[in-house]
Amino acid sequence: MVRPTILTMLVSIHYKCRGGLYPRSNIERFTVPDEKVSWSTEFIEYKPVNYTSPHINGKPYADPDIGDPNFKPNFNQIDGKISRISYTGKYNVENRYPLNPVGRTGITGRGVLGRWGPNHAADPIVTTWKRFDNGEVALDENNKPILQFVAIKRSDTGEWALPGGMVDPGEKVATTAVREFREEATNSDTMSEAEKKTWLVKFDKFFSGGDVVYEGYIDDHRNTDNAWMESAAYNFHDNNGTVVGGMKLHAGSDAAGVRWVDITSDFELYACHKKIVLEVYNKLLLQYSESS
């Protein structure tokens, strides 16, 4: 079996982490024009504010300050149970500070992110073909099948996004993807014991597979010059609509809402999630055409 192509870079320049106020703060980013984003381009005037949110100090998931004499991170390596390896390749470290592989963001420090360097997340892309009550696949105006995916509404920004989350130290990325879907999109606490037992049998079988479709940098509002988001995205596809296609969705504690979203020309998603979802759509559309 041929292993599916894994995208490693959807971002050649970032936009969402430049300009304006940094999230959950009144800190203004230093303006970085497109032509000055790259570290290889001289930018003598560049004087960004250094900001690390006070709320992450002492948190179990957060690194100490770079200046802490007891903090000796092994960047670009597996550091104990923490992966400080970037999907983008080796990143530069200057005066002990890791540098964002895509370039300047207008702010230094960690912002609200826990780790210096890459902060790894996992995003499950749960998909199924949209169907009528009689089981027929719904077609769009171009006579193509309509693919649906599960999206959650982020409680921090109000944007629709993939139901992902941060990888715990020592945790397999695939395990994170499944755990996050369970926590954010199903809220099993609302189910009866009988419902939970029946659903978990289907759940375990369905999520035992999954294709890795993206490993790379995420253009995220929280990124800084020294800390940034990266993600591995997994596609779990319910081709016949018999597993998750008939599942009732319930927003978990980390989400403000959850729903099935049709992939259309005008749908929007948080960060660069839209690009990842479109790659999945194109792959599944090709498979659908070949099977037909």
Side-chain angles (χ1 to χ4, degrees):
M1 181 177 179
V2 179
R3 191 170 187 264
T5 301
I6 301 174
L7 296 171
T8 56
M9 202 64 173
L10 285 173
V11 180
S12 57
I13 186 171
H14 44 212
Y15 298 96
K16 298 194 176 185
C17 57
R18 288 163 45 208
L21 292 178
Y22 184 81
R24 304 174 226 170
S25 79
N26 59 357
I27 306 296
E28 187 82 27
R29 290 182 185 269
F30 194 96
T31 301
V32 182
D34 288 356
E35 65 274 13
K36 298 287 188 179
V37 170
S38 173
W39 295 111
S40 62
T41 303
E42 188 176 60
F43 194 4
I44 298 173
E45 304 85 3
Y46 188 57
K47 293 182 173 57
V49 173
N50 185 296
Y51 175 68
T52 296
S53 175
H55 93 271
I56 66 174
N57 291 336
K59 295 289 171 112
Y61 61 82
D63 287 334
D65 189 77
I66 286 289
D68 187 326
N70 297 315
F71 181 50
K72 299 176 182 178
N74 294 313
F75 291 121
N76 289 299
Q77 300 178 48
I78 298 295
D79 188 15
K81 290 186 175 181
I82 300 167
S83 174
R84 300 191 189 274
I85 299 172
S86 172
Y87 291 125
T88 67
K90 188 174 182 179
Y91 50 89
N92 293 325
V93 179
E94 190 174 281
N95 298 323
R96 298 187 66 194
Y97 288 87
L99 294 183
N100 188 309
V102 177
R104 300 179 177 96
T105 67
I107 193 168
T108 60
R110 269 178 299 155
V112 296
L113 296 177
R115 304 288 178 200
W116 295 101
N119 287 254
H120 293 292
D123 294 308
I125 308 170
V126 177
T127 55
T128 191
W129 299 112
K130 186 174 184 177
R131 296 175 184 272
F132 296 113
D133 291 340
N134 63 3
E136 271 189 49
V137 175
L139 304 178
D140 63 17
E141 64 275 10
N142 297 311
N143 213 35
K144 292 181 179 180
I146 299 172
L147 187 68
Q148 296 181 306
F149 68 98
V150 176
I152 56 103
K153 190 173 186 180
R154 292 180 62 98
S155 55
D156 55 352
T157 66
E159 295 174 274
W160 289 94
L162 295 173
M166 306 307 295
V167 178
D168 290 338
E171 184 178 38
K172 291 183 179 179
V173 179
T175 302
T176 305
V178 176
R179 171 172 57 79
E180 287 299 325
F181 182 81
R182 199 179 211 160
E183 291 177 358
E184 293 194 327
T186 65
N187 196 9
S188 57
D189 291 340
T190 64
M191 299 180 185
S192 67
E193 285 304 313
E195 286 176 322
K196 194 182 298 185
K197 186 175 180 180
T198 301
W199 186 75
L200 283 178
V201 172
K202 290 184 176 181
F203 183 95
D204 289 342
K205 185 177 180 180
F206 178 71
F207 285 102
S208 63
D211 292 335
V212 186
V213 293
Y214 179 68
E215 292 177 333
Y217 183 88
I218 298 293
D219 185 9
D220 192 287
H221 300 282
R222 298 166 290 180
N223 292 351
T224 73
D225 286 4
N226 312 119
W228 59 92
M229 290 296 304
E230 296 190 10
S231 182
Y234 288 75
N235 178 217
F236 301 94
H237 182 58
D238 183 4
N239 194 56
N240 298 318
T242 57
V243 186
V244 293
M247 183 179 65
K248 292 181 180 179
L249 301 174
H250 299 274
S253 57
D254 293 339
V258 61
R259 68 178 184 183
W260 285 99
V261 175
D262 294 354
I263 295 180
T264 60
S265 59
D266 58 353
F267 81 99
E268 294 296 334
L269 286 178
Y270 177 82
C272 57
H273 288 182
K274 179 177 180 177
K275 292 181 180 179
I276 299 172
V277 170
L278 286 176
E279 288 295 332
V280 171
Y281 171 68
N282 290 330
K283 180 195 74 170
L284 293 176
L285 191 62
L286 179 61
Q287 292 178 1
Y288 183 91
S289 299
E290 290 175 345
S291 65
S292 300

